[in-house]
Amino acid sequence: MNVLNAKPNIVHNFLVDLEKNRKLKVIITQNIDNLHQLAGSKNVLEIHGSMYQNYCMNCHKKYDIEFIFNSKDIPLCICGHLIRPNVLLYGERLPECFNTAIDWITKAETLIVAGTSLTV
C-alpha cells in the first residue's frame, strides 16, 4: 500500500490533456494512489478513498502519507490511538461520492472504462 514512489504514467498524462481540452469532465477511480491528481487532473472522484488521507480512529486528527510511511512502528496519533488510511475496506459502506459517480455516469455521452477486469 506504500504508494510514495508511484508516478503517473502516459495514460494519466493523456487524461490530463483531455481534461484541459474540455474533452473529459470527470475521472471516477477505484485507485487509492493519487496518481491522477499527481499528473494534474482536477476533477477526480476516488470512490475507494486515498492513501494520501489518513486520520486517527479516535480523535479524527488528520495525518499525511509521509507520516504514515515514515513511522517506525504502527502509526499512532498523539492521543495514542491508531491512525488509518481513508480508504474503503471490505465490508464498509461506500462513500457519498459514489452517488456523485453514479450521477456522472448516467449523464455521460461517452464513458471510457480502463484498467479493470470488472470482476469484483
Side-chain angles (χ1 to χ4, degrees):
M1 292 179 62
N2 187 341
V3 297
L4 283 175
N5 294 323
K7 302 288 183 226
N9 63 35
I10 191 171
V11 176
H12 296 101
N13 296 327
F14 179 71
L15 293 174
V16 171
D17 290 340
L18 288 177
E19 185 178 18
K20 285 179 181 175
N21 290 313
R22 297 188 174 141
K23 302 288 184 187
L24 177 69
K25 294 181 181 176
V26 64
I27 294 172
I28 302 167
T29 184
Q30 295 177 332
N31 296 340
I32 60 173
D33 53 22
N34 209 48
L35 292 179
H36 291 290
Q37 294 89 331
L38 291 172
S41 291
K42 303 293 183 210
N43 196 10
V44 180
L45 294 177
E46 297 174 306
I47 60 174
H48 285 177
S50 173
M51 287 299 298
Y52 279 75
Q53 300 167 7
N54 303 275
Y55 64 94
C56 173
M57 295 176 66
N58 179 58
C59 72
H60 302 283
K61 177 176 171 50
K62 295 179 181 179
Y63 290 88
D64 63 24
I65 192 169
E66 287 83 11
F67 180 87
I68 300 306
F69 288 109
N70 290 328
S71 296
K72 293 191 186 271
D73 292 314
I74 296 172
L76 297 176
C77 179
I78 57 173
C79 76
H81 288 82
L82 291 174
I83 299 169
R84 70 163 278 179
N86 189 21
V87 297
L88 185 67
L89 302 175
Y90 284 102
E92 293 181 332
R93 293 178 49 118
L94 291 167
E96 183 58 37
C97 74
F98 186 77
N99 293 328
T100 305
I102 297 296
D103 288 342
W104 275 105
I105 291 168
T106 58
K107 295 174 186 171
E109 294 176 23
T110 303
L111 178 66
I112 300 169
V113 178
T116 182
S117 64
L118 296 173
T119 59
V120 175

Short mmCIF file of all heavy atoms in Angstrom, two decimals, residues 1-36:
data_model
loop_
_atom_site.label_atom_id
_atom_site.label_comp_id
_atom_site.label_asym_id
_atom_site.label_seq_id
_atom_site.Cartn_x
_atom_site.Cartn_y
_atom_site.Cartn_z
N MET A 1 0.81 -1.20 0.00
CA MET A 1 0.00 0.00 0.00
C MET A 1 0.85 1.26 0.00
O MET A 1 0.31 2.35 -0.05
CB MET A 1 -0.95 -0.01 1.18
CG MET A 1 -2.03 -1.08 1.06
SD MET A 1 -3.19 -1.18 2.43
CE MET A 1 -3.95 0.41 2.40
N ASN A 2 2.17 1.11 0.06
CA ASN A 2 3.04 2.29 0.03
C ASN A 2 3.13 2.79 -1.41
O ASN A 2 3.76 2.19 -2.25
CB ASN A 2 4.42 1.95 0.58
CG ASN A 2 5.29 3.17 0.73
OD1 ASN A 2 5.02 4.22 0.14
ND2 ASN A 2 6.33 3.06 1.53
N VAL A 3 2.50 3.92 -1.65
CA VAL A 3 2.43 4.49 -2.99
C VAL A 3 3.34 5.70 -3.15
O VAL A 3 3.27 6.40 -4.16
CB VAL A 3 0.98 4.86 -3.35
CG1 VAL A 3 0.09 3.63 -3.39
CG2 VAL A 3 0.41 5.89 -2.38
N LEU A 4 4.23 5.93 -2.17
CA LEU A 4 5.08 7.13 -2.21
C LEU A 4 5.96 7.19 -3.45
O LEU A 4 6.25 8.28 -3.95
CB LEU A 4 5.96 7.20 -0.96
CG LEU A 4 5.25 7.68 0.30
CD1 LEU A 4 6.18 7.59 1.50
CD2 LEU A 4 4.72 9.09 0.13
N ASN A 5 6.39 6.06 -3.96
CA ASN A 5 7.28 6.06 -5.12
C ASN A 5 6.54 5.88 -6.44
O ASN A 5 7.16 5.85 -7.50
CB ASN A 5 8.34 4.98 -4.97
CG ASN A 5 9.28 5.29 -3.82
OD1 ASN A 5 9.62 6.44 -3.58
ND2 ASN A 5 9.67 4.26 -3.09
N ALA A 6 5.22 5.74 -6.40
CA ALA A 6 4.44 5.58 -7.63
C ALA A 6 4.40 6.91 -8.39
O ALA A 6 4.30 7.98 -7.78
CB ALA A 6 3.03 5.12 -7.29
N LYS A 7 4.50 6.82 -9.69
CA LYS A 7 4.50 8.01 -10.54
C LYS A 7 3.43 7.86 -11.63
O LYS A 7 3.18 6.76 -12.11
CB LYS A 7 5.86 8.19 -11.23
CG LYS A 7 7.03 8.30 -10.28
CD LYS A 7 7.03 9.62 -9.56
CE LYS A 7 8.26 9.75 -8.67
NZ LYS A 7 7.98 10.23 -7.37
N PRO A 8 2.81 8.97 -12.02
CA PRO A 8 1.84 8.91 -13.12
C PRO A 8 2.50 8.40 -14.40
O PRO A 8 3.69 8.64 -14.64
CB PRO A 8 1.40 10.37 -13.29
CG PRO A 8 1.74 11.03 -12.00
CD PRO A 8 2.95 10.32 -11.47
N ASN A 9 1.73 7.71 -15.22
CA ASN A 9 2.25 7.21 -16.49
C ASN A 9 1.63 7.97 -17.66
O ASN A 9 0.91 8.96 -17.47
CB ASN A 9 2.03 5.70 -16.60
CG ASN A 9 0.56 5.32 -16.61
OD1 ASN A 9 -0.28 6.04 -17.14
ND2 ASN A 9 0.24 4.18 -16.02
N ILE A 10 1.89 7.51 -18.85
CA ILE A 10 1.44 8.19 -20.07
C ILE A 10 -0.08 8.30 -20.13
O ILE A 10 -0.62 9.28 -20.64
CB ILE A 10 2.02 7.48 -21.33
CG1 ILE A 10 1.77 8.32 -22.57
CG2 ILE A 10 1.47 6.07 -21.46
CD1 ILE A 10 2.50 7.80 -23.79
N VAL A 11 -0.79 7.32 -19.58
CA VAL A 11 -2.26 7.36 -19.60
C VAL A 11 -2.76 8.45 -18.67
O VAL A 11 -3.67 9.21 -19.04
CB VAL A 11 -2.85 5.98 -19.22
CG1 VAL A 11 -4.36 6.05 -19.14
CG2 VAL A 11 -2.42 4.93 -20.22
N HIS A 12 -2.18 8.57 -17.47
CA HIS A 12 -2.57 9.65 -16.56
C HIS A 12 -2.37 11.01 -17.24
O HIS A 12 -3.23 11.89 -17.16
CB HIS A 12 -1.75 9.61 -15.27
CG HIS A 12 -1.96 8.38 -14.45
ND1 HIS A 12 -1.07 7.34 -14.47
CD2 HIS A 12 -2.95 8.02 -13.61
CE1 HIS A 12 -1.50 6.39 -13.66
NE2 HIS A 12 -2.64 6.77 -13.12
N ASN A 13 -1.24 11.17 -17.91
CA ASN A 13 -0.93 12.43 -18.58
C ASN A 13 -1.88 12.70 -19.74
O ASN A 13 -2.29 13.84 -19.97
CB ASN A 13 0.52 12.44 -19.06
CG ASN A 13 1.49 12.37 -17.89
OD1 ASN A 13 1.23 12.89 -16.80
ND2 ASN A 13 2.61 11.71 -18.08
N PHE A 14 -2.25 11.65 -20.46
CA PHE A 14 -3.20 11.80 -21.56
C PHE A 14 -4.57 12.27 -21.04
O PHE A 14 -5.21 13.14 -21.64
CB PHE A 14 -3.35 10.48 -22.33
CG PHE A 14 -4.32 10.54 -23.46
CD1 PHE A 14 -4.02 11.26 -24.62
CD2 PHE A 14 -5.54 9.89 -23.38
CE1 PHE A 14 -4.92 11.32 -25.66
CE2 PHE A 14 -6.44 9.95 -24.43
CZ PHE A 14 -6.14 10.67 -25.58
N LEU A 15 -4.99 11.72 -19.92
CA LEU A 15 -6.26 12.14 -19.33
C LEU A 15 -6.23 13.61 -18.89
O LEU A 15 -7.22 14.33 -19.01
CB LEU A 15 -6.63 11.23 -18.16
CG LEU A 15 -6.94 9.78 -18.53
CD1 LEU A 15 -7.15 8.94 -17.28
CD2 LEU A 15 -8.14 9.68 -19.46
N VAL A 16 -5.08 14.06 -18.41
CA VAL A 16 -4.91 15.47 -18.06
C VAL A 16 -5.10 16.33 -19.31
O VAL A 16 -5.80 17.35 -19.28
CB VAL A 16 -3.54 15.75 -17.42
CG1 VAL A 16 -3.29 17.25 -17.27
CG2 VAL A 16 -3.43 15.05 -16.08
N ASP A 17 -4.51 15.91 -20.42
CA ASP A 17 -4.66 16.65 -21.68
C ASP A 17 -6.13 16.69 -22.12
O ASP A 17 -6.62 17.74 -22.57
CB ASP A 17 -3.81 16.03 -22.79
CG ASP A 17 -2.32 16.24 -22.57
OD1 ASP A 17 -1.95 17.16 -21.81
OD2 ASP A 17 -1.52 15.49 -23.18
N LEU A 18 -6.82 15.58 -22.00
CA LEU A 18 -8.24 15.55 -22.35
C LEU A 18 -9.04 16.51 -21.47
O LEU A 18 -9.92 17.23 -21.96
CB LEU A 18 -8.81 14.14 -22.22
CG LEU A 18 -8.39 13.11 -23.24
CD1 LEU A 18 -8.99 11.75 -22.90
CD2 LEU A 18 -8.81 13.54 -24.65
N GLU A 19 -8.72 16.55 -20.19
CA GLU A 19 -9.41 17.46 -19.27
C GLU A 19 -9.12 18.92 -19.63
O GLU A 19 -10.04 19.74 -19.67
CB GLU A 19 -8.98 17.16 -17.84
CG GLU A 19 -9.73 17.96 -16.80
CD GLU A 19 -9.32 17.61 -15.39
OE1 GLU A 19 -8.23 17.02 -15.19
OE2 GLU A 19 -10.07 17.95 -14.47
N LYS A 20 -7.88 19.23 -19.93
CA LYS A 20 -7.51 20.61 -20.29
C LYS A 20 -8.20 21.05 -21.56
O LYS A 20 -8.54 22.23 -21.72
CB LYS A 20 -5.99 20.72 -20.46
CG LYS A 20 -5.24 20.72 -19.15
CD LYS A 20 -3.74 20.82 -19.38
CE LYS A 20 -3.00 20.80 -18.06
NZ LYS A 20 -1.54 20.77 -18.26
N ASN A 21 -8.43 20.11 -22.48
CA ASN A 21 -9.11 20.41 -23.74
C ASN A 21 -10.62 20.24 -23.66
O ASN A 21 -11.30 20.20 -24.68
CB ASN A 21 -8.53 19.53 -24.87
CG ASN A 21 -7.12 19.93 -25.21
OD1 ASN A 21 -6.82 21.10 -25.37
ND2 ASN A 21 -6.24 18.94 -25.29
N ARG A 22 -11.12 20.12 -22.44
CA ARG A 22 -12.56 20.00 -22.17
C ARG A 22 -13.22 18.81 -22.86
O ARG A 22 -14.39 18.85 -23.22
CB ARG A 22 -13.27 21.30 -22.52
CG ARG A 22 -12.80 22.46 -21.66
CD ARG A 22 -13.62 23.68 -21.87
NE ARG A 22 -13.19 24.69 -20.93
CZ ARG A 22 -13.09 25.96 -21.23
NH1 ARG A 22 -13.39 26.39 -22.42
NH2 ARG A 22 -12.70 26.83 -20.31
N LYS A 23 -12.46 17.76 -23.04
CA LYS A 23 -12.97 16.51 -23.62
C LYS A 23 -13.28 15.50 -22.52
O LYS A 23 -13.89 14.48 -22.78
CB LYS A 23 -11.97 15.90 -24.61
CG LYS A 23 -11.59 16.80 -25.75
CD LYS A 23 -12.72 16.94 -26.71
CE LYS A 23 -12.28 17.77 -27.90
NZ LYS A 23 -13.38 18.08 -28.79
N LEU A 24 -12.83 15.78 -21.31
CA LEU A 24 -13.02 14.89 -20.18
C LEU A 24 -13.55 15.72 -19.02
O LEU A 24 -12.95 16.72 -18.63
CB LEU A 24 -11.68 14.25 -19.78
CG LEU A 24 -11.68 13.33 -18.58
CD1 LEU A 24 -12.44 12.05 -18.89
CD2 LEU A 24 -10.26 13.00 -18.17
N LYS A 25 -14.69 15.30 -18.47
CA LYS A 25 -15.32 16.08 -17.40
C LYS A 25 -14.95 15.58 -16.01
O LYS A 25 -14.85 16.37 -15.07
CB LYS A 25 -16.83 16.07 -17.58
CG LYS A 25 -17.27 16.80 -18.83
CD LYS A 25 -18.76 16.81 -18.97
CE LYS A 25 -19.14 17.54 -20.25
NZ LYS A 25 -20.58 17.50 -20.49
N VAL A 26 -14.79 14.28 -15.86
CA VAL A 26 -14.51 13.72 -14.53
C VAL A 26 -13.80 12.38 -14.68
O VAL A 26 -14.00 11.67 -15.67
CB VAL A 26 -15.82 13.55 -13.71
CG1 VAL A 26 -16.75 12.54 -14.33
CG2 VAL A 26 -15.53 13.21 -12.25
N ILE A 27 -12.96 12.08 -13.71
CA ILE A 27 -12.35 10.76 -13.60
C ILE A 27 -12.93 10.12 -12.35
O ILE A 27 -12.89 10.71 -11.26
CB ILE A 27 -10.81 10.85 -13.48
CG1 ILE A 27 -10.22 11.40 -14.76
CG2 ILE A 27 -10.22 9.48 -13.13
CD1 ILE A 27 -8.74 11.71 -14.67
N ILE A 28 -13.48 8.94 -12.52
CA ILE A 28 -14.00 8.16 -11.39
C ILE A 28 -13.06 6.98 -11.24
O ILE A 28 -12.92 6.18 -12.16
CB ILE A 28 -15.44 7.69 -11.67
CG1 ILE A 28 -16.34 8.89 -11.94
CG2 ILE A 28 -15.95 6.85 -10.49
CD1 ILE A 28 -17.68 8.52 -12.53
N THR A 29 -12.40 6.89 -10.10
CA THR A 29 -11.39 5.85 -9.93
C THR A 29 -11.58 5.07 -8.64
O THR A 29 -12.06 5.60 -7.65
CB THR A 29 -9.96 6.44 -9.97
OG1 THR A 29 -9.00 5.39 -9.89
CG2 THR A 29 -9.72 7.44 -8.85
N GLN A 30 -11.22 3.80 -8.70
CA GLN A 30 -11.16 2.96 -7.52
C GLN A 30 -9.75 2.94 -6.95
O GLN A 30 -9.52 2.42 -5.87
CB GLN A 30 -11.58 1.53 -7.85
CG GLN A 30 -13.02 1.42 -8.29
CD GLN A 30 -13.38 0.00 -8.68
OE1 GLN A 30 -12.54 -0.77 -9.12
NE2 GLN A 30 -14.64 -0.34 -8.54
N ASN A 31 -8.81 3.51 -7.68
CA ASN A 31 -7.41 3.52 -7.24
C ASN A 31 -7.26 4.42 -6.01
O ASN A 31 -7.94 5.43 -5.88
CB ASN A 31 -6.49 3.99 -8.35
CG ASN A 31 -6.50 3.04 -9.53
OD1 ASN A 31 -6.87 1.89 -9.40
ND2 ASN A 31 -6.08 3.53 -10.68
N ILE A 32 -6.33 4.06 -5.15
CA ILE A 32 -6.10 4.81 -3.91
C ILE A 32 -4.72 5.47 -3.90
O ILE A 32 -4.23 5.87 -2.86
CB ILE A 32 -6.25 3.87 -2.69
CG1 ILE A 32 -5.26 2.71 -2.75
CG2 ILE A 32 -7.69 3.37 -2.57
CD1 ILE A 32 -5.22 1.85 -1.50
N ASP A 33 -4.11 5.60 -5.09
CA ASP A 33 -2.71 6.03 -5.19
C ASP A 33 -2.50 7.50 -5.51
O ASP A 33 -1.37 7.97 -5.54
CB ASP A 33 -1.98 5.19 -6.24
CG ASP A 33 -2.68 5.17 -7.59
OD1 ASP A 33 -3.48 6.10 -7.89
OD2 ASP A 33 -2.44 4.22 -8.35
N ASN A 34 -3.57 8.26 -5.77
CA ASN A 34 -3.47 9.70 -6.02
C ASN A 34 -2.74 10.04 -7.33
O ASN A 34 -2.37 11.19 -7.55
CB ASN A 34 -2.79 10.39 -4.84
CG ASN A 34 -3.22 11.82 -4.64
OD1 ASN A 34 -4.41 12.11 -4.64
ND2 ASN A 34 -2.26 12.72 -4.47
N LEU A 35 -2.55 9.07 -8.19
CA LEU A 35 -1.76 9.32 -9.41
C LEU A 35 -2.46 10.28 -10.38
O LEU A 35 -1.79 11.05 -11.07
CB LEU A 35 -1.41 8.01 -10.11
CG LEU A 35 -0.43 7.13 -9.35
CD1 LEU A 35 -0.16 5.83 -10.11
CD2 LEU A 35 0.88 7.86 -9.06
N HIS A 36 -3.77 10.26 -10.42
CA HIS A 36 -4.46 11.20 -11.31
C HIS A 36 -4.20 12.64 -10.87
O HIS A 36 -3.92 13.51 -11.70
CB HIS A 36 -5.97 10.91 -11.32
CG HIS A 36 -6.32 9.64 -12.00
ND1 HIS A 36 -6.20 9.45 -13.36
CD2 HIS A 36 -6.78 8.47 -11.50
CE1 HIS A 36 -6.58 8.23 -13.67
NE2 HIS A 36 -6.93 7.61 -12.56
#
